[in-house]
Amino acid sequence: IDGSDCIFIDSQNKQLRFEIEQWDITKKKASIWIPLDTVYGNSDKQTITMLWGNRNNVLISDSIPVFDTSYGFLGCYHFNGNLENAASNNFNGIDSSSYDTSEGVIGRARFFNGSTSFFRVEGLPDRPSGSISCWFRPAINIDQYTSKTQGIWGKKIADDHDFTLSLQGLDFFPGTGAGVAGNLIAKLEEPEGGEYLASKTPNFFGNVWYFAFWSWGDGSNSLYINGILENSIPEYRAVSGESDDEIGRSPYDASNTPDGVPGYFYGALDEFRLDSKARSADWVKLSFMNQRPDQKLITIIKP
């Protein structure tokens, strides 16, 4: 009924850890996360077998071993009706006016109203290297005519010490590397200087899901859309400071937007990740292929 009698084994008959995010009897649909040590590309030889019916010899669905912090998972928010962190018992989201929606890419999602909605995460450690990823679905077109910048994620200590991932509007003041209205932009700034990244994708359509992935550290600072590299530079800065991480809005440097007031995201987010490691291009592509609604990474063979 709830998947609690399931087990998963690999081709060597090793039982695998798993987390059930969604188990919907009515829709006959489930979303289950299973970690693998290695994924072999362009191969149909790698198999996972699902067995069920024996409640006496199973690993209980448990998010913590799946999204283990030792693998760089710092914050993992499925938005399965809540703001709990699947990577740890700590760092759960603290809500401000966002709400649950059933229309997610994987299971449920979180909706933000563009004016008051966001959530914050307290006490996350500094990230000399790291990555941020999510599915985002803007409620309106983001293009060259968009007036207001929308913050997807942000962290601000001071005007010269702030960080953001945003959909750029006409109110964002021009700057070197900062892009133009319609772009997805990323900014790392600390008192010694700052770096911008802007997407090559010029605009994002309303009510369409996009997969954004931003990774910094290990000699690169890279921005991806739907698994494809959009922009990359070698320069980066550590995300640091004691202020909260905010998802669904971003506070800004007053040299970026008028008065530095927060910009709020209008739309839905799903599978929001905050990692403590830089991720490779292969990791990004695999994440997109595995999570996309029409995924073809896994073929299900029924007995």
Side-chain angles (χ1 to χ4, degrees):
I1 295 176
D2 59 2
S4 61
D5 62 341
C6 294
I7 64 171
F8 298 86
I9 58 174
D10 64 15
S11 57
Q12 305 301 314
N13 289 322
K14 176 185 175 182
Q15 192 168 339
L16 301 169
R17 297 166 291 161
F18 68 98
E19 177 197 351
I20 298 175
E21 177 179 343
Q22 177 190 33
W23 190 277
D24 192 320
I25 294 295
T26 302
K27 295 181 179 179
K28 298 182 178 180
K29 184 177 182 180
S31 300
I32 304 171
W33 297 94
I34 304 171
L36 298 175
D37 294 333
T38 305
V39 175
Y40 299 97
N42 301 317
S43 172
D44 59 359
K45 304 299 183 183
Q46 190 169 12
T47 62
I48 299 172
T49 301
M50 177 180 177
L51 303 172
W52 60 92
N54 184 354
R55 294 180 177 270
N56 297 320
N57 187 29
V58 300
L59 287 174
I60 302 300
S61 171
D62 190 345
S63 66
I64 295 175
V66 173
F67 294 94
D68 197 316
T69 54
S70 66
Y71 297 128
F73 296 110
L74 187 61
C76 178
Y77 305 94
H78 295 313
F79 302 135
N80 189 22
N82 56 57
L83 297 177
E84 293 179 1
N85 179 13
S88 169
N89 289 327
N90 299 316
F91 307 136
N92 292 327
I94 301 170
D95 189 41
S96 179
S97 302
S98 69
Y99 62 86
D100 175 59
T101 173
S102 61
E103 300 173 352
V105 174
I106 300 175
R108 307 185 74 83
R110 203 78 183 177
F111 191 82
F112 301 81
N113 65 14
S115 59
T116 60
S117 299
F118 72 103
F119 72 91
R120 59 190 174 88
V121 182
E122 297 178 337
L124 289 172
D126 292 350
R127 282 149 277 172
S129 296
S131 60
I132 294 173
S133 63
C134 68
W135 288 90
F136 70 93
R137 186 184 67 189
I140 59 175
N141 289 347
I142 305 298
D143 55 29
Q144 60 183 322
Y145 305 110
T146 298
S147 59
K148 181 69 175 169
T149 298
Q150 298 186 20
I152 293 176
W153 165 88
K155 180 181 177 73
K156 180 179 178 181
I157 292 84
D159 269 3
D160 64 350
H161 195 179
D162 71 314
F163 314 91
T164 179
L165 180 67
S166 300
L167 293 165
Q168 188 168 345
L170 290 168
D171 62 334
F172 199 93
F173 301 144
T176 303
V180 297
N183 289 167
L184 179 71
I185 55 170
K187 178 188 178 185
L188 297 169
E189 182 180 34
E190 45 86 34
E192 298 302 317
E195 314 297 341
Y196 291 97
L197 283 176
S199 68
K200 296 296 188 293
T201 299
N203 56 266
F204 299 90
F205 295 106
N207 297 313
V208 174
W209 282 106
Y210 299 90
F211 184 60
F213 207 112
W214 174 28
S215 178
W216 66 91
D218 296 337
S220 69
N221 183 2
S222 302
L223 185 64
Y224 303 80
I225 301 293
N226 291 345
I228 298 173
L229 180 65
E230 295 264 316
N231 202 349
S232 184
I233 58 175
E235 295 81 16
Y236 61 92
R237 311 282 172 166
V239 170
S240 62
E242 295 182 356
S243 63
D244 298 340
D245 283 55
E246 296 183 348
I247 293 92
R249 79 168 189 178
S250 179
Y252 294 102
D253 178 350
S255 66
N256 290 143
T257 64
D259 301 321
V261 296
Y264 289 81
F265 176 65
Y266 182 30
L269 299 175
D270 199 7
E271 294 301 328
F272 204 97
R273 307 283 172 83
L274 300 165
D275 293 352
S276 60
K277 291 183 178 180
R279 301 301 192 184
S280 68
D282 286 341
W283 178 289
V284 176
K285 184 177 181 180
L286 181 64
S287 297
F288 171 65
M289 295 299 294
N290 183 46
Q291 296 179 36
R292 59 188 293 179
D294 60 343
Q295 73 86 25
K296 298 179 177 63
L297 182 69
I298 298 172
T299 301
I300 298 176
I301 303 174
K302 298 180 179 179

